[in-house]
Amino acid sequence: MTPICRHCDEEITGPEDAVVVAHELGNSGPGWDVYAHRDHADLVDLIDPDLLRIMTRIWAAQAAAQ
C-alpha cells in the first residue's frame, strides 16, 4: 500500500520522501500512521478544527469563572 500525503492527498511514491507525522488510534485495532511528503510535514494540520473551537470556548468560560 502506497502512503498518501495528509497535506496534498497525493501518493508518496518514494519511500525516502515519506514521513510519519502522526498516529491515529482506531476504535478496534492498533490504528494507523499518518504520512506526509518530507516537504509537507510542517504543513499538516494535526488539530481537529471543531475540537479546537470547542476547547477554546471551554477555556474562555473557565477563565471568565475565575
Side-chain angles (χ1 to χ4, degrees):
M1 183 173 122
T2 304
I4 304 295
C5 178
R6 176 60 67 94
H7 177 70
C8 68
D9 292 329
E10 299 285 329
E11 286 187 5
I12 303 172
T13 55
E16 69 283 347
D17 194 26
V19 177
V20 176
V21 293
H23 182 82
E24 293 184 353
L25 299 175
N27 289 334
S28 59
W32 54 89
D33 291 330
V34 176
Y35 292 91
H37 288 105
R38 188 167 301 283
D39 294 340
H40 297 164
D42 322 352
L43 305 172
V44 174
D45 291 329
L46 296 176
I47 298 175
D48 180 14
D50 293 329
L51 176 61
L52 181 59
R53 178 181 46 80
I54 292 166
M55 290 306 298
T56 302
R57 287 184 178 185
I58 291 170
W59 295 328
Q62 287 175 340
Q66 292 179 357

